[in-house]
Amino acid sequence: MRNNFKISIFLLILFSYSITTYSQKTYKDSIKTYFKQIEDLINYKDNYKEDFLSTETLLAQKELLSGTEKINTLLKLYTVNVYKSIQNARKYNQEALQLAINIGYKKGELSAKYNQAYLLFIEGDFDTSMTVTEEVSKIVKQSTYPETYSDINTLKSYIYTERGEYDLALEKGLELLDIAEKSNDEYALMRAYASLSHYYLRIENYSKALSYCLKGLHYVIKLRKIRYIYPKIDEIARMTAKLNDTERALETYAFYLEIEKKISPPGSYIQSVVYMNMADIYISNNAYDNAQNYLSKALVLNYENNYKFRVPRALILQAELFLKTKDTVNSIINYEKSIEAAESINAFDVVKSNSAILANLYKKTNQLSKAYEYKTIHNSIRDSLFNNEMEQKIIILETRRKIKEVTQKKKILELENEAQKAKSNFILLLLIFILIIVAFIVFSYLKVKSKNRLLYLRTIELTKVQLEMEEKLNELENAKAILKEDTNNDTSLKSSKTTIDNDVKNIILNKLEKLEKELFFIDPNCSLRQVAQLLKTNPKYLSQVINQEKKSNFNNYINELRINYLLSRLLKDEDFRNSKLSYVAASIGYNNLNTFNAAFKKRQGILPSYFINELIQESKQKIIS
């Protein structure tokens, strides 16, 4: 078994190396090819006049049109202005929305509502943007409004990524890609590749990000979606720089400037991120004056145009630049500003990473109280449920994706000329890789099956112990109540030695324990703010009490209450454990079955469906015996 395992590891490493080598040889050629196609598209733009219309031309057309044609022209005006002037883009989009509602043009109405959500995203208002997006999602279907469907799901992936909810971002991107491939929808493919490129860029897997970026660029050029050309060139430059090819990155920005001379400039939204990325490149090249020049321009554009989610990264770059020039004081100031900006848009991944950096910087400058403060912030966010990526789910999604890609490549390679030795060897390597995965899955299944059984037995045992303890605690509480009546007079004579904070904490704890008995946690809308209102305190105090006394954050605390309650009820109530899993989840406060499964498995190590099935089977066996 050990020898087989070593061989498997060796083959996996060989496979990864061959893929990496092949990618390095081809991505530069791919970039050149795509840039040549962009040049050709722009050089022959007179043949595609509808795709290169200016604001002035569209405004002139709008005055002559009515009905759906006028709405479509207003939506084009939004597209032309979205990266140049949010104010103008919103004005044209609002006019299109109102007109579409008036005449019952559903497609135009849904497109305009998506545009509303995207403008909110640009401004960093992720919560409101997601609310509008969810409203449109209830109506839009891939079969009826394919482009709006693709746009909406891409925007969801973007928002999840910016919030640091990377598992949801990846899931949404892969889901859209599957739909696009099945329907052979080129626009959907373009948008799916954009969402995946955005995701991998944020988790710093630059090789994958570049691969998806180039795939998306292919469809941008083919479909002549001119507004995406500038962002794609910028992304390529940024990713090649992160892959330590700064020369190629600067060449890409030179190409960007050449394109800017031939067609309308991209606008402040794109220009701000270009300046940031160029500053990043110059920082890595130790060209600090150039870096500061571009970074100053980026900060001005971000603040002037209220590009909230761009501000934290610009401040981080400024902080890194100060570190490079040995100015630790100003570096700390900018890291703290970046955290403040990130908190305003709920970008908790930025808060998490920067708080760790600040903890180290304060430690180095011997400011231990501040170091402790930021270390505590970092640990609390790192351990919170909100930022806990569902690693197993991501691995499953990635594995499915890889197997699908491998299968597709295999079919293509089998149809090609068998005389091409390199490709034949590659096919063989892929087949071996698939066999290794299959063998590993079989082995893992057998191992997991045994492990799940042990976890089930342990859960049953612990639940029974918990029920016994609850009965004893109830008896003790009754006795304690009698004793309390006798000691009330004595305790009233003693002076309080606790602080006001301890009194508040004890009051909150007592109220919280009463709420627990009332099963407040099975309310699906249960939140920190809601519970704080019930307890007549503020969310901050409640959060501190739960962290200190329950040794947990709020979400983990709620999940623990729900799962404990569920286990007890499953053991006692035969009808309940024979209910549908969706009903079981809803009855303890979970509207989403995936969330319920994840919470149960995180705590018990097994899925609830497995636990319930085993419990039912054991009950049947007892009846038979």
Side-chain angles (χ1 to χ4, degrees):
M1 180 63 74
R2 284 188 175 180
N3 289 334
N4 290 337
F5 180 74
K6 289 179 179 178
I7 293 170
S8 300
I9 293 297
F10 172 74
L11 290 172
L12 285 170
I13 293 170
L14 181 62
F15 176 77
S16 301
Y17 175 76
S18 63
I19 292 291
T20 303
T21 304
Y22 180 77
S23 299
Q24 289 174 344
K25 289 180 179 178
T26 58
Y27 88 82
K28 293 182 181 180
D29 294 331
S30 297
I31 292 172
K32 287 182 180 178
T33 301
Y34 287 129
F35 283 2
K36 179 64 170 61
Q37 291 175 7
I38 291 172
E39 284 182 327
D40 291 342
L41 177 62
I42 292 171
N43 289 337
Y44 293 99
K45 64 182 178 181
D46 289 340
N47 296 334
Y48 313 109
K49 291 182 179 179
E50 283 297 314
D51 300 306
F52 290 89
L53 294 176
S54 64
T55 299
E56 293 73 19
T57 304
L58 289 167
L59 285 171
Q61 288 182 3
K62 184 193 77 154
E63 297 304 319
L64 303 174
L65 299 172
S66 62
T68 59
E69 290 182 343
K70 184 172 183 177
I71 293 169
N72 290 333
T73 302
L74 285 165
L75 292 174
K76 288 180 181 178
L77 277 164
Y78 157 84
T79 300
V80 170
N81 285 275
V82 63
Y83 295 143
K84 297 178 181 179
S85 169
I86 290 180
Q87 183 178 0
N88 287 338
R90 182 171 277 120
K91 179 182 70 174
Y92 296 131
N93 190 65
Q94 188 59 36
E95 189 177 346
L97 176 61
Q98 192 58 56
L99 184 56
I101 292 172
N102 291 344
I103 68 172
Y105 181 33
K106 202 65 179 177
K107 181 181 178 182
E109 179 186 344
L110 293 171
S111 295
K113 285 184 177 178
Y114 158 73
N115 292 343
Q116 278 185 339
Y118 187 69
L119 287 172
L120 289 165
F121 170 77
I122 287 176
E123 293 175 323
D125 190 352
F126 300 143
D127 291 341
T128 311
S129 179
M130 182 60 85
T131 300
V132 177
T133 301
E134 292 290 1
E135 289 175 2
V136 179
S137 287
K138 294 175 183 177
I139 304 169
V140 170
K141 305 295 180 187
Q142 200 273 338
S143 57
T144 51
Y145 305 103
E147 286 199 8
T148 306
Y149 178 87
S150 300
D151 289 336
I152 282 293
N153 283 283
T154 301
L155 181 55
K156 282 186 179 180
S157 179
Y158 285 173
I159 294 171
Y160 288 138
T161 300
E162 292 302 327
R163 282 175 168 176
E165 299 174 282
Y166 297 127
D167 55 323
L168 296 175
L170 177 60
E171 181 179 10
K172 187 57 64 178
L174 292 176
E175 178 186 301
L176 180 58
L177 182 57
D178 283 338
I179 292 170
E181 289 175 341
K182 288 174 183 175
S183 61
N184 199 26
D185 185 332
E186 293 183 339
Y187 185 86
L189 285 168
M190 178 186 76
R191 302 299 279 144
Y193 290 139
S195 65
L196 290 169
S197 175
H198 186 70
Y199 162 77
Y200 281 110
L201 179 62
R202 284 304 300 272
I203 67 167
E204 299 182 0
N205 188 335
Y206 301 114
S207 179
K208 271 198 171 184
L210 180 57
S211 174
Y212 280 118
C213 177
L214 293 175
K215 288 178 181 179
L217 180 57
H218 167 77
Y219 290 104
V220 169
I221 297 168
K222 187 175 182 180
L223 300 174
R224 298 193 298 278
K225 298 298 179 183
I226 306 305
R227 68 166 166 157
Y228 296 123
I229 286 178
Y230 282 119
K232 288 296 177 187
I233 298 173
D234 171 62
E235 287 173 21
I236 290 168
R238 182 179 179 186
M239 293 168 197
T240 50
K242 292 296 183 181
L243 290 168
N244 297 319
D245 192 353
T246 53
E247 183 179 349
R248 168 68 61 178
L250 292 173
E251 288 175 3
T252 301
Y253 277 125
F255 176 75
Y256 177 99
L257 295 173
E258 287 299 317
I259 295 300
E260 200 173 21
K261 296 175 184 176
K262 299 178 181 179
I263 59 176
S264 177
S268 59
Y269 181 75
I270 303 300
Q271 201 62 54
S272 67
V273 76
V274 168
Y275 289 150
M276 287 161 62
N277 293 336
M278 291 186 76
D280 195 10
I281 293 170
Y282 282 120
I283 288 172
S284 64
N285 286 350
N286 299 325
Y288 302 137
D289 290 339
N290 287 337
Q292 187 60 66
N293 177 41
Y294 284 111
L295 196 49
S296 297
K297 292 178 181 178
L299 283 164
V300 169
L301 288 176
N302 287 332
Y303 282 121
E304 282 183 350
N305 295 281
N306 200 29
Y307 299 145
K308 291 181 182 178
F309 78 99
R310 291 262 172 84
V311 171
R313 180 173 172 247
L315 291 169
I316 290 169
L317 287 172
Q318 184 68 78
E320 290 174 355
L321 181 56
F322 279 124
L323 270 184
K324 288 274 190 176
T325 56
K326 311 299 182 184
D327 189 345
T328 306
V329 173
N330 276 313
S331 178
I332 288 173
I333 290 170
N334 278 274
Y335 274 124
E336 289 185 329
K337 286 181 179 178
S338 72
I339 286 181
E340 187 178 327
E343 285 179 340
S344 70
I345 58 171
N346 295 331
F348 294 110
D349 58 327
V350 175
V351 180
K352 181 174 70 173
S353 58
N354 284 7
S355 57
I357 294 170
L358 279 167
N360 289 330
L361 288 175
Y362 276 120
K363 186 177 180 180
K364 288 179 181 178
T365 55
N366 204 31
Q367 300 179 65
L368 300 183
S369 61
K370 295 292 287 184
Y372 174 77
E373 176 187 338
Y374 281 104
K375 185 67 175 176
T376 304
I377 292 171
H378 172 75
N379 290 338
S380 65
I381 297 174
R382 182 196 61 194
D383 297 336
S384 70
L385 182 65
F386 180 81
N387 284 298
N388 182 21
E389 294 180 26
M390 300 163 64
E391 293 181 3
Q392 291 182 345
K393 189 173 183 180
I394 291 177
I395 290 169
I396 291 169
L397 288 169
E398 285 277 41
T399 303
R400 286 177 181 168
R401 193 69 231 148
K402 286 177 182 176
I403 291 173
K404 187 174 181 180
E405 288 177 357
V406 166
T407 305
Q408 289 174 343
K409 288 179 181 178
K410 175 180 172 293
K411 289 178 180 178
I412 294 169
L413 290 170
E414 284 175 347
L415 295 174
E416 290 183 353
N417 191 340
E418 292 182 359
Q420 295 179 336
K421 185 177 178 181
K423 291 187 178 180
S424 297
N425 291 337
F426 192 60
I427 292 172
L428 180 61
L429 192 59
L430 291 175
L431 288 171
I432 293 170
F433 182 63
I434 292 172
L435 289 173
I436 291 169
I437 291 176
V438 171
F440 179 75
I441 289 171
V442 171
F443 173 77
S444 298
Y445 170 77
L446 295 173
K447 187 175 180 180
V448 168
K449 186 177 180 181
S450 174
K451 180 183 176 183
N452 283 348
R453 181 62 185 171
L454 291 173
L455 289 170
Y456 165 76
L457 293 173
R458 188 188 70 178
T459 301
I460 290 290
E461 184 180 347
L462 290 175
T463 304
K464 289 179 179 178
V465 171
Q466 180 184 331
L467 289 172
E468 291 175 3
M469 289 180 66
E470 285 178 0
E471 292 177 1
K472 291 180 180 179
L473 283 172
N474 287 333
E475 293 175 2
L476 286 172
E477 284 181 2
N478 292 333
K480 190 176 180 181
I482 296 170
L483 182 62
K484 186 176 180 181
E485 290 179 2
D486 297 333
T487 57
N488 273 342
N489 294 330
D490 293 337
T491 54
S492 62
L493 296 174
K494 295 178 182 179
S495 61
S496 176
K497 294 183 180 180
T498 58
T499 63
I500 295 176
D501 287 342
N502 282 335
D503 289 339
V504 171
K505 178 180 69 177
N506 290 331
I507 291 169
I508 292 172
L509 275 174
N510 289 333
K511 289 182 177 180
L512 195 58
E513 288 174 3
K514 289 180 182 178
L515 278 183
E516 289 178 8
K517 292 177 182 178
E518 295 170 6
L519 305 182
F520 80 96
F521 48 83
I522 65 173
D523 181 356
N525 297 317
C526 177
S527 67
L528 182 64
R529 186 174 297 278
Q530 181 199 53
V531 177
Q533 289 174 349
L534 288 172
L535 298 179
K536 296 182 179 180
T537 185
N538 65 56
K540 183 178 178 182
Y541 282 170
L542 177 57
S543 179
Q544 287 177 351
V545 169
I546 290 172
N547 286 339
Q548 293 171 7
E549 301 303 319
K550 303 294 184 179
K551 307 304 179 185
S552 176
N553 61 53
F554 180 78
N555 285 335
N556 285 340
Y557 165 64
I558 294 298
N559 282 330
E560 184 175 356
L561 290 174
R562 287 175 175 174
I563 301 305
N564 285 342
Y565 169 71
L566 171 65
L567 292 172
S568 300
R569 190 172 172 187
L570 286 172
L571 282 181
K572 295 176 181 178
D573 191 339
E574 183 178 350
D575 291 336
F576 181 65
R577 63 174 169 258
N578 283 294
S579 302
K580 287 186 177 180
L581 192 61
S582 56
Y583 171 78
V584 172
S587 68
I588 62 168
Y590 292 102
N591 288 329
N592 185 294
L593 200 54
N594 288 336
T595 305
F596 169 54
N597 285 333
F600 191 96
K601 185 166 185 181
K602 180 182 178 183
R603 191 171 184 277
Q604 303 303 131
I606 52 177
L607 288 171
S609 56
Y610 174 84
F611 177 80
I612 293 171
N613 287 335
E614 289 293 306
L615 199 58
I616 291 171
Q617 293 303 318
E618 283 195 2
S619 298
K620 288 179 179 178
Q621 288 174 4
K622 286 180 181 178
I623 293 171
I624 294 170
S625 61

